Amino acid sequence: MADFDYDLFVIGGGSGGVRAARVAAAGGARVALAEDSRLGGTCVIRGCVPKKLMVFASEYREMFADARAYGWDLEDGAFDWTRFSGQLNRELDRLEGVYRGLLEGSKVEIFDQRARLADPHSVTLADGSTRSAKHILIATGGRPAAARHAQCASGDGVG
């Protein structure tokens, strides 16, 4: 049997990749994970969570109007995008920290850089180093079907 640096190397630090890494590590596997952006993936960092926070923020104007109708004495204020975006980024930093803490607590080695599959048992990191693993999981997410079809139709992708 070949000697590998890890039992499992995960490429992608979204919810799926983080969960797979933690479960494998909990079972005693030597695990590493590479993510070139922020841990948490599209939903947590760029999609669902930021969207929900923006929607919540957008609903306050109506709440203030409703509150006045129920006797509250409120003055209209201006929305401060700079202040909101700072708070939003602090929340995303906090959530990423939760993911990082879960991985570190599971003893998963984290590489904050891009990784690419080199062969069936090796990945090459952006810094040029190579790591070997018995198993490699590519957990980089996907694209909506419409984007794939448009790419295939334009000749840019594989059908």
Side-chain angles (χ1 to χ4, degrees):
M1 175 176 242
D3 187 31
F4 299 107
D5 298 323
Y6 303 98
D7 298 310
L8 175 65
F9 196 103
V10 180
I11 300 174
S15 296
V18 168
R19 177 72 176 154
R22 291 181 57 225
V23 168
R30 294 170 297 149
V31 183
L33 180 144
E35 172 58 58
D36 72 339
S37 186
R38 299 177 73 172
L39 295 172
T42 298
C43 182
V44 173
I45 301 300
R46 291 173 289 285
C48 308
V49 172
K51 177 208 63 156
K52 286 178 184 176
L53 294 173
M54 289 182 202
V55 168
F56 293 157
S58 73
E59 293 173 340
Y60 281 102
R61 181 177 294 275
E62 285 182 21
M63 287 183 204
F64 292 147
D66 289 345
R68 277 196 283 298
Y70 282 96
W72 287 90
D73 185 14
L74 301 170
E75 293 181 28
D76 284 340
F79 180 76
D80 184 342
W81 173 257
T82 303
R83 184 173 176 193
F84 172 75
S85 64
Q87 291 293 98
L88 175 65
N89 286 324
R90 277 187 281 289
E91 178 60 10
L92 298 179
D93 290 345
R94 185 191 71 77
L95 291 171
E96 181 184 16
V98 169
Y99 277 85
R100 186 170 298 278
L102 290 169
L103 288 168
E104 290 171 347
S106 298
K107 307 237 183 307
V108 173
E109 186 170 357
I110 303 168
F111 294 95
D112 291 309
Q113 56 186 301
R114 188 174 191 84
R116 65 176 178 78
L117 189 62
D119 64 47
H121 294 286
S122 309
V123 297
T124 302
L125 298 169
D127 65 11
S129 65
T130 301
R131 301 292 192 281
S132 64
K134 183 175 181 182
H135 302 283
I136 299 171
L137 173 62
I138 300 173
T140 56
R143 287 184 272 192
R148 277 199 317 273
H149 294 305
Q151 195 175 35
C152 293
S154 70
D156 293 336
V158 185

mmCIF file of all heavy atoms in Angstrom, residues 13-50:
data_model
loop_
_atom_site.group_PDB
_atom_site.id
_atom_site.type_symbol
_atom_site.label_atom_id
_atom_site.label_comp_id
_atom_site.label_asym_id
_atom_site.label_seq_id
_atom_site.Cartn_x
_atom_site.Cartn_y
_atom_site.Cartn_z
ATOM 1 N N GLY A 13 -14.055 24.435 0.125
ATOM 2 C CA GLY A 13 -14.421 24.664 1.513
ATOM 3 C C GLY A 13 -15.821 25.184 1.719
ATOM 4 O O GLY A 13 -16.071 25.965 2.632
ATOM 5 N N GLY A 14 -16.750 24.744 0.890
ATOM 6 C CA GLY A 14 -18.149 25.066 1.105
ATOM 7 C C GLY A 14 -18.742 24.108 2.130
ATOM 8 O O GLY A 14 -18.032 23.301 2.743
ATOM 9 N N SER A 15 -20.040 24.188 2.294
ATOM 10 C CA SER A 15 -20.703 23.354 3.296
ATOM 11 C C SER A 15 -20.440 21.865 3.085
ATOM 12 O O SER A 15 -20.173 21.132 4.038
ATOM 13 C CB SER A 15 -22.209 23.620 3.283
ATOM 14 O OG SER A 15 -22.456 24.960 3.660
ATOM 15 N N GLY A 16 -20.512 21.393 1.844
ATOM 16 C CA GLY A 16 -20.295 19.982 1.557
ATOM 17 C C GLY A 16 -18.881 19.534 1.831
ATOM 18 O O GLY A 16 -18.647 18.487 2.455
ATOM 19 N N GLY A 17 -17.903 20.303 1.370
ATOM 20 C CA GLY A 17 -16.503 19.950 1.584
ATOM 21 C C GLY A 17 -16.121 19.975 3.047
ATOM 22 O O GLY A 17 -15.415 19.082 3.542
ATOM 23 N N VAL A 18 -16.590 20.981 3.763
ATOM 24 C CA VAL A 18 -16.301 21.086 5.194
ATOM 25 C C VAL A 18 -16.911 19.911 5.939
ATOM 26 O O VAL A 18 -16.263 19.285 6.788
ATOM 27 C CB VAL A 18 -16.797 22.439 5.763
ATOM 28 C CG1 VAL A 18 -16.765 22.446 7.285
ATOM 29 C CG2 VAL A 18 -15.957 23.585 5.205
ATOM 30 N N ARG A 19 -18.140 19.580 5.626
ATOM 31 C CA ARG A 19 -18.810 18.460 6.307
ATOM 32 C C ARG A 19 -18.089 17.140 6.024
ATOM 33 O O ARG A 19 -17.865 16.340 6.926
ATOM 34 C CB ARG A 19 -20.275 18.386 5.863
ATOM 35 C CG ARG A 19 -21.038 17.228 6.446
ATOM 36 C CD ARG A 19 -21.314 17.429 7.909
ATOM 37 N NE ARG A 19 -22.135 16.321 8.392
ATOM 38 C CZ ARG A 19 -22.166 15.909 9.631
ATOM 39 N NH1 ARG A 19 -21.458 16.545 10.532
ATOM 40 N NH2 ARG A 19 -22.904 14.901 9.983
ATOM 41 N N ALA A 20 -17.738 16.893 4.776
ATOM 42 C CA ALA A 20 -17.039 15.658 4.423
ATOM 43 C C ALA A 20 -15.705 15.562 5.157
ATOM 44 O O ALA A 20 -15.344 14.496 5.682
ATOM 45 C CB ALA A 20 -16.827 15.585 2.911
ATOM 46 N N ALA A 21 -14.978 16.665 5.222
ATOM 47 C CA ALA A 21 -13.685 16.679 5.912
ATOM 48 C C ALA A 21 -13.855 16.374 7.397
ATOM 49 O O ALA A 21 -13.105 15.585 7.980
ATOM 50 C CB ALA A 21 -13.001 18.029 5.714
ATOM 51 N N ARG A 22 -14.849 16.985 8.013
ATOM 52 C CA ARG A 22 -15.080 16.777 9.454
ATOM 53 C C ARG A 22 -15.496 15.344 9.757
ATOM 54 O O ARG A 22 -15.038 14.745 10.734
ATOM 55 C CB ARG A 22 -16.136 17.758 9.962
ATOM 56 C CG ARG A 22 -15.640 19.197 9.977
ATOM 57 C CD ARG A 22 -16.691 20.151 10.500
ATOM 58 N NE ARG A 22 -17.112 19.765 11.830
ATOM 59 C CZ ARG A 22 -18.376 19.724 12.235
ATOM 60 N NH1 ARG A 22 -19.362 20.035 11.420
ATOM 61 N NH2 ARG A 22 -18.679 19.367 13.470
ATOM 62 N N VAL A 23 -16.386 14.798 8.942
ATOM 63 C CA VAL A 23 -16.850 13.422 9.175
ATOM 64 C C VAL A 23 -15.687 12.449 9.019
ATOM 65 O O VAL A 23 -15.511 11.539 9.839
ATOM 66 C CB VAL A 23 -18.024 13.069 8.228
ATOM 67 C CG1 VAL A 23 -18.321 11.582 8.251
ATOM 68 C CG2 VAL A 23 -19.260 13.877 8.607
ATOM 69 N N ALA A 24 -14.879 12.636 7.983
ATOM 70 C CA ALA A 24 -13.729 11.750 7.779
ATOM 71 C C ALA A 24 -12.743 11.865 8.931
ATOM 72 O O ALA A 24 -12.233 10.857 9.438
ATOM 73 C CB ALA A 24 -13.043 12.075 6.447
ATOM 74 N N ALA A 25 -12.478 13.082 9.370
ATOM 75 C CA ALA A 25 -11.544 13.285 10.485
ATOM 76 C C ALA A 25 -12.092 12.670 11.770
ATOM 77 O O ALA A 25 -11.336 12.086 12.557
ATOM 78 C CB ALA A 25 -11.264 14.775 10.673
ATOM 79 N N ALA A 26 -13.400 12.772 11.976
ATOM 80 C CA ALA A 26 -14.012 12.188 13.169
ATOM 81 C C ALA A 26 -13.859 10.674 13.173
ATOM 82 O O ALA A 26 -13.823 10.043 14.234
ATOM 83 C CB ALA A 26 -15.496 12.567 13.252
ATOM 84 N N GLY A 27 -13.750 10.090 11.982
ATOM 85 C CA GLY A 27 -13.554 8.653 11.866
ATOM 86 C C GLY A 27 -12.097 8.243 11.943
ATOM 87 O O GLY A 27 -11.768 7.081 11.727
ATOM 88 N N GLY A 28 -11.215 9.213 12.212
ATOM 89 C CA GLY A 28 -9.800 8.893 12.378
ATOM 90 C C GLY A 28 -8.933 9.127 11.155
ATOM 91 O O GLY A 28 -7.731 8.853 11.184
ATOM 92 N N ALA A 29 -9.506 9.630 10.072
ATOM 93 C CA ALA A 29 -8.725 9.872 8.864
ATOM 94 C C ALA A 29 -7.843 11.113 9.012
ATOM 95 O O ALA A 29 -8.194 12.059 9.714
ATOM 96 C CB ALA A 29 -9.655 10.038 7.665
ATOM 97 N N ARG A 30 -6.700 11.097 8.342
ATOM 98 C CA ARG A 30 -5.840 12.286 8.224
ATOM 99 C C ARG A 30 -6.402 13.083 7.056
ATOM 100 O O ARG A 30 -6.445 12.582 5.928
ATOM 101 C CB ARG A 30 -4.395 11.897 7.940
ATOM 102 C CG ARG A 30 -3.717 11.140 9.071
ATOM 103 C CD ARG A 30 -2.369 10.579 8.634
ATOM 104 N NE ARG A 30 -2.630 9.618 7.559
ATOM 105 C CZ ARG A 30 -1.795 9.363 6.555
ATOM 106 N NH1 ARG A 30 -0.636 9.971 6.468
ATOM 107 N NH2 ARG A 30 -2.104 8.487 5.617
ATOM 108 N N VAL A 31 -6.849 14.324 7.333
ATOM 109 C CA VAL A 31 -7.612 15.076 6.336
ATOM 110 C C VAL A 31 -7.020 16.472 6.147
ATOM 111 O O VAL A 31 -6.601 17.120 7.108
ATOM 112 C CB VAL A 31 -9.099 15.213 6.761
ATOM 113 C CG1 VAL A 31 -9.911 15.937 5.699
ATOM 114 C CG2 VAL A 31 -9.703 13.834 7.043
ATOM 115 N N ALA A 32 -7.028 16.912 4.892
ATOM 116 C CA ALA A 32 -6.668 18.293 4.556
ATOM 117 C C ALA A 32 -7.744 18.842 3.633
ATOM 118 O O ALA A 32 -8.454 18.092 2.948
ATOM 119 C CB ALA A 32 -5.307 18.352 3.878
ATOM 120 N N LEU A 33 -7.860 20.153 3.626
ATOM 121 C CA LEU A 33 -8.851 20.830 2.794
ATOM 122 C C LEU A 33 -8.212 22.087 2.225
ATOM 123 O O LEU A 33 -7.513 22.810 2.941
ATOM 124 C CB LEU A 33 -10.076 21.192 3.630
ATOM 125 C CG LEU A 33 -11.218 21.904 2.915
ATOM 126 C CD1 LEU A 33 -12.556 21.432 3.462
ATOM 127 C CD2 LEU A 33 -11.100 23.411 3.057
ATOM 128 N N ALA A 34 -8.454 22.347 0.944
ATOM 129 C CA ALA A 34 -7.956 23.570 0.299
ATOM 130 C C ALA A 34 -9.133 24.389 -0.205
ATOM 131 O O ALA A 34 -10.065 23.855 -0.810
ATOM 132 C CB ALA A 34 -7.024 23.224 -0.862
ATOM 133 N N GLU A 35 -9.085 25.685 0.064
ATOM 134 C CA GLU A 35 -10.102 26.629 -0.403
ATOM 135 C C GLU A 35 -9.401 27.941 -0.710
ATOM 136 O O GLU A 35 -8.714 28.489 0.149
ATOM 137 C CB GLU A 35 -11.176 26.838 0.655
ATOM 138 C CG GLU A 35 -12.171 27.939 0.355
ATOM 139 C CD GLU A 35 -12.921 27.752 -0.961
ATOM 140 O OE1 GLU A 35 -13.579 26.718 -1.125
ATOM 141 O OE2 GLU A 35 -12.839 28.666 -1.812
ATOM 142 N N ASP A 36 -9.570 28.448 -1.932
ATOM 143 C CA ASP A 36 -8.873 29.672 -2.311
ATOM 144 C C ASP A 36 -9.649 30.942 -1.996
ATOM 145 O O ASP A 36 -9.134 32.037 -2.133
ATOM 146 C CB ASP A 36 -8.476 29.646 -3.782
ATOM 147 C CG ASP A 36 -9.644 29.796 -4.740
ATOM 148 O OD1 ASP A 36 -10.790 29.523 -4.328
ATOM 149 O OD2 ASP A 36 -9.412 30.174 -5.899
ATOM 150 N N SER A 37 -10.874 30.793 -1.560
ATOM 151 C CA SER A 37 -11.663 31.958 -1.188
ATOM 152 C C SER A 37 -11.959 31.850 0.301
ATOM 153 O O SER A 37 -11.105 31.463 1.071
ATOM 154 C CB SER A 37 -12.939 32.015 -2.034
ATOM 155 O OG SER A 37 -13.645 33.205 -1.776
ATOM 156 N N ARG A 38 -13.163 32.143 0.690
ATOM 157 C CA ARG A 38 -13.535 32.078 2.105
ATOM 158 C C ARG A 38 -14.234 30.766 2.402
ATOM 159 O O ARG A 38 -15.013 30.280 1.588
ATOM 160 C CB ARG A 38 -14.450 33.247 2.446
ATOM 161 C CG ARG A 38 -13.766 34.597 2.214
ATOM 162 C CD ARG A 38 -14.689 35.729 2.483
ATOM 163 N NE ARG A 38 -14.885 35.854 3.919
ATOM 164 C CZ ARG A 38 -15.528 36.853 4.496
ATOM 165 N NH1 ARG A 38 -16.036 37.818 3.766
ATOM 166 N NH2 ARG A 38 -15.674 36.900 5.799
ATOM 167 N N LEU A 39 -13.967 30.206 3.555
ATOM 168 C CA LEU A 39 -14.654 28.995 3.979
ATOM 169 C C LEU A 39 -16.132 29.295 4.176
ATOM 170 O O LEU A 39 -16.491 30.353 4.690
ATOM 171 C CB LEU A 39 -14.054 28.458 5.278
ATOM 172 C CG LEU A 39 -12.611 27.982 5.192
ATOM 173 C CD1 LEU A 39 -12.071 27.669 6.587
ATOM 174 C CD2 LEU A 39 -12.494 26.760 4.300
ATOM 175 N N GLY A 40 -16.964 28.381 3.785
ATOM 176 C CA GLY A 40 -18.405 28.556 3.939
ATOM 177 C C GLY A 40 -19.149 28.386 2.634
ATOM 178 O O GLY A 40 -20.320 28.038 2.625
ATOM 179 N N GLY A 41 -18.489 28.657 1.528
ATOM 180 C CA GLY A 41 -19.098 28.424 0.227
ATOM 181 C C GLY A 41 -20.034 29.517 -0.244
ATOM 182 O O GLY A 41 -20.205 30.562 0.388
ATOM 183 N N THR A 42 -20.656 29.242 -1.358
ATOM 184 C CA THR A 42 -21.505 30.220 -2.025
ATOM 185 C C THR A 42 -22.692 30.641 -1.173
ATOM 186 O O THR A 42 -22.968 31.825 -1.028
ATOM 187 C CB THR A 42 -21.990 29.665 -3.378
ATOM 188 O OG1 THR A 42 -20.832 29.434 -4.190
ATOM 189 C CG2 THR A 42 -22.916 30.634 -4.081
ATOM 190 N N CYS A 43 -23.400 29.690 -0.595
ATOM 191 C CA CYS A 43 -24.605 30.049 0.166
ATOM 192 C C CYS A 43 -24.260 30.939 1.353
ATOM 193 O O CYS A 43 -24.858 31.990 1.541
ATOM 194 C CB CYS A 43 -25.339 28.797 0.641
ATOM 195 S SG CYS A 43 -26.865 29.192 1.528
ATOM 196 N N VAL A 44 -23.290 30.541 2.123
ATOM 197 C CA VAL A 44 -22.967 31.268 3.353
ATOM 198 C C VAL A 44 -22.285 32.603 3.061
ATOM 199 O O VAL A 44 -22.615 33.616 3.662
ATOM 200 C CB VAL A 44 -22.087 30.395 4.274
ATOM 201 C CG1 VAL A 44 -21.599 31.175 5.479
ATOM 202 C CG2 VAL A 44 -22.865 29.160 4.712
ATOM 203 N N ILE A 45 -21.350 32.624 2.143
ATOM 204 C CA ILE A 45 -20.521 33.816 1.936
ATOM 205 C C ILE A 45 -21.044 34.736 0.833
ATOM 206 O O ILE A 45 -20.944 35.954 0.929
ATOM 207 C CB ILE A 45 -19.057 33.400 1.623
ATOM 208 C CG1 ILE A 45 -18.484 32.562 2.778
ATOM 209 C CG2 ILE A 45 -18.191 34.611 1.341
ATOM 210 C CD1 ILE A 45 -18.434 33.266 4.128
ATOM 211 N N ARG A 46 -21.587 34.191 -0.246
ATOM 212 C CA ARG A 46 -21.970 35.026 -1.384
ATOM 213 C C ARG A 46 -23.436 34.965 -1.761
ATOM 214 O O ARG A 46 -23.877 35.712 -2.616
ATOM 215 C CB ARG A 46 -21.133 34.629 -2.616
ATOM 216 C CG ARG A 46 -19.683 34.988 -2.504
ATOM 217 C CD ARG A 46 -18.859 34.445 -3.652
ATOM 218 N NE ARG A 46 -18.680 32.998 -3.611
ATOM 219 C CZ ARG A 46 -17.857 32.377 -2.768
ATOM 220 N NH1 ARG A 46 -17.162 33.051 -1.909
ATOM 221 N NH2 ARG A 46 -17.730 31.066 -2.799
ATOM 222 N N GLY A 47 -24.198 34.072 -1.174
ATOM 223 C CA GLY A 47 -25.560 33.882 -1.650
ATOM 224 C C GLY A 47 -26.633 34.031 -0.602
ATOM 225 O O GLY A 47 -27.044 35.140 -0.250
ATOM 226 N N CYS A 48 -27.095 32.916 -0.090
ATOM 227 C CA CYS A 48 -28.274 32.873 0.775
ATOM 228 C C CYS A 48 -28.169 33.784 1.996
ATOM 229 O O CYS A 48 -29.074 34.568 2.268
ATOM 230 C CB CYS A 48 -28.530 31.448 1.251
ATOM 231 S SG CYS A 48 -28.597 30.237 -0.076
ATOM 232 N N VAL A 49 -27.097 33.667 2.742
ATOM 233 C CA VAL A 49 -26.986 34.424 3.991
ATOM 234 C C VAL A 49 -26.901 35.925 3.726
ATOM 235 O O VAL A 49 -27.680 36.694 4.298
ATOM 236 C CB VAL A 49 -25.820 33.908 4.856
ATOM 237 C CG1 VAL A 49 -25.581 34.816 6.049
ATOM 238 C CG2 VAL A 49 -26.097 32.472 5.309
ATOM 239 N N PRO A 50 -25.996 36.401 2.861
ATOM 240 C CA PRO A 50 -25.980 37.848 2.601
ATOM 241 C C PRO A 50 -27.314 38.357 2.053
ATOM 242 O O PRO A 50 -27.774 39.430 2.432
ATOM 243 C CB PRO A 50 -24.864 38.029 1.564
ATOM 244 C CG PRO A 50 -24.009 36.828 1.709
ATOM 245 C CD PRO A 50 -24.906 35.717 2.161
#
